[in-house]
Amino acid sequence: MSKTCKLIPFKHREIVSLLKGRHSIRNISEILGKPKSTVHNVIMKYNKEYCINTAFRSGRPPALSEQNKRQTKKNKC
């Protein structure tokens, strides 16, 4: 299990708005209750790419391929 959690886009916008309000990384971290490293990473990504959204993650690959699914359906009948 991962030690990190994905921030919702609302939290990203909160971090950026607090940054624009002249708050420090430490202060933002204390206000939102998030680690300083997380706040730092969001700010660095915003400064580099002007992007607030997180990247799409496809998740775990399916256990069965489409061909295997068709074969199991065929064998049930």
Side-chain angles (χ1 to χ4, degrees), residues 2-9 11-12 34 38 42 53-58:
S2 172
K3 292 183 180 180
T4 62
C5 65
K6 187 173 76 168
L7 289 177
I8 58 174
K11 289 291 182 185
H12 284 260
K34 298 295 178 188
T38 302
V42 170
N53 299 330
T54 57
F56 175 74
R57 290 168 177 79
S58 62

Side-chain angles (χ1 to χ4, degrees), residues 41-60:
N41 290 341
V42 170
I43 291 171
M44 292 303 293
K45 182 176 180 184
Y46 176 74
N47 287 337
K48 183 178 180 184
E49 302 173 8
Y50 296 105
C51 181
I52 296 175
N53 299 330
T54 57
F56 175 74
R57 290 168 177 79
S58 62
R60 183 178 179 171

Side-chain angles (χ1 to χ4, degrees), residues 3 8 15 21 32 40 43 48 61 69-70:
K3 292 183 180 180
I8 58 174
I15 291 171
L32 299 178
H40 179 266
I43 291 171
K48 183 178 180 184
K69 286 180 187 177
R70 287 192 302 269

Side-chain angles (χ1 to χ4, degrees), residues 12-23:
H12 284 260
R13 287 190 294 272
E14 276 187 326
I15 291 171
V16 171
S17 64
L18 287 170
L19 176 71
K20 289 180 179 180
R22 304 284 187 199
H23 290 275

Side-chain angles (χ1 to χ4, degrees), residues 62-74:
L64 296 175
S65 67
E66 290 299 319
Q67 182 180 6
N68 290 342
K69 286 180 187 177
R70 287 192 302 269
Q71 288 177 351
T72 55
K73 285 181 184 178
K74 208 184 292 184

